[in-house]
Amino acid sequence: MLIAGNWKMYKGSAETAEFCLGLREQELDGVDVVVCPPFVSLAVAVQLLAGTEIAVAAQNVHWDSEGAYTGEISAPMLRELGVYGAIVGHSERRQHFGETDETAAKRAHAALEAGLFVIACVGETEAERERGETEDVLRRQLSVLEADDNLVVAYEPVWAIGTGETATPDSAQEAHAFVKTLLDVEVLYGGSVKPDNAAELLSQPDVDGALVGGASLDLDSFTEICRAAIRS
Ligand code: PGA
């Protein structure tokens, strides 16, 4: 079981330090825990979580190792900092920053080549779900990825992200099982995972963990979700 906290554009270095010092004190044996702070907070997170089993990942990564790409960060730069992995293709990147299946795949490929662990996000929008296109969308988004020991997929139905609406455990299970028919990888569920719904979602046979946004920002709720994973 893997629980990853996607902090999005929250927590600068001071808040990151406070969170990581608190996280260090928690007993979290039996679950793989990853935090994904903003780029500027990665260094302090790496420093303060050194010597623990908790890993630090970035929220994005560029496909070239260096070059004229203003505002981007490369996989070797993340590696140099001691960062362990990266999220790619998050729906907010797709929605606001022009990310496509192809650019997400390029990022995933470069990150894996550089030795990073990758969480690749997929998921349908509400309109796509209503039109019955969920499987077509997942097939298209996954067609550009190849299975790899260091790759996990996060199934995040876009209509469930930050909305408080969660896929039912049955529909999450169904989507996860479908993803696994296309790619032999572990699959995390993401979309309004909270302490009170985590146990039920994580008990589904093909739910291998969670990518948690809002509820990962608070130490107590994040560790409660980690504990639900340990029990499941
Ligand atoms: P949420 O975000 O848990 O706030 O819905 C999940 C994500 O975007 O990864």
Side-chain angles (χ1 to χ4, degrees):
M1 257 313 143
L2 169 67
I3 302 295
N6 172 17
W7 293 0
K8 310 192 178 189
M9 200 171 72
Y10 293 98
K11 295 193 193 296
S13 48
E15 279 186 63
T16 297
E18 191 186 338
F19 186 99
C20 292
L21 289 170
L23 191 58
R24 280 189 75 101
E25 302 304 315
Q26 309 293 318
E27 258 303 326
L28 296 174
D29 288 348
V31 58
D32 294 324
V33 179
V34 182
V35 292
C36 309
F39 284 125
V40 293
S41 302
L42 288 169
V44 69
V46 167
Q47 245 167 39
L48 292 176
L49 295 173
T52 75
E53 296 287 305
I54 300 158
V56 177
Q59 298 171 16
N60 194 14
V61 57
H62 196 261
W63 53 82
D64 255 351
S65 53
E66 59 182 4
Y69 298 106
T70 302
E72 292 286 325
I73 304 283
S74 75
M77 291 171 181
L78 293 173
R79 291 275 289 166
E80 184 180 345
L81 210 57
V83 169
Y84 161 82
I87 298 172
V88 305
H90 190 278
S91 66
E92 286 152 14
R93 302 293 319 166
R94 294 175 192 259
Q95 190 183 344
H96 303 298
F97 303 100
E99 188 81 76
T100 63
D101 297 337
E102 285 66 35
T103 55
K106 281 168 78 171
R107 294 179 199 278
H109 187 71
L112 291 167
E113 282 276 294
L116 290 172
F117 180 85
V118 171
I119 300 173
C121 302
V122 298
E124 80 287 0
T125 63
E126 187 159 28
E128 288 164 342
R129 170 160 282 251
E130 276 166 9
R131 292 198 298 267
E133 293 171 5
T134 299
E135 292 196 348
D136 291 343
V137 169
L138 294 177
R139 197 178 285 113
R140 192 200 75 222
Q141 291 175 331
L142 290 163
S143 66
V144 290
L145 298 171
E146 281 163 36
D148 189 291
D149 286 348
N150 283 325
L151 174 73
V152 301
V153 164
Y155 169 63
E156 300 204 305
V158 178
W159 48 270
I161 294 178
T163 59
E165 265 189 65
T166 324
T168 62
D170 284 350
S171 76
Q173 164 58 28
E174 196 182 320
H176 284 223
F178 179 70
V179 168
K180 289 181 184 188
T181 65
L182 301 173
L183 212 58
D184 182 18
V185 288
E186 301 217 320
V187 184
L188 313 180
Y189 173 76
S192 296
V193 176
K194 308 274 182 252
D196 60 3
N197 62 22
E200 210 186 349
L201 287 160
L202 295 170
S203 68
Q204 299 300 309
D206 289 308
V207 175
D208 304 310
L211 181 56
V212 186
S216 74
L217 295 170
D218 176 75
L219 184 62
D220 290 341
S221 71
F222 185 59
T223 52
E224 244 187 90
I225 293 167
C226 294
R227 293 209 173 87
I230 295 170
R231 287 193 300 270
S232 71

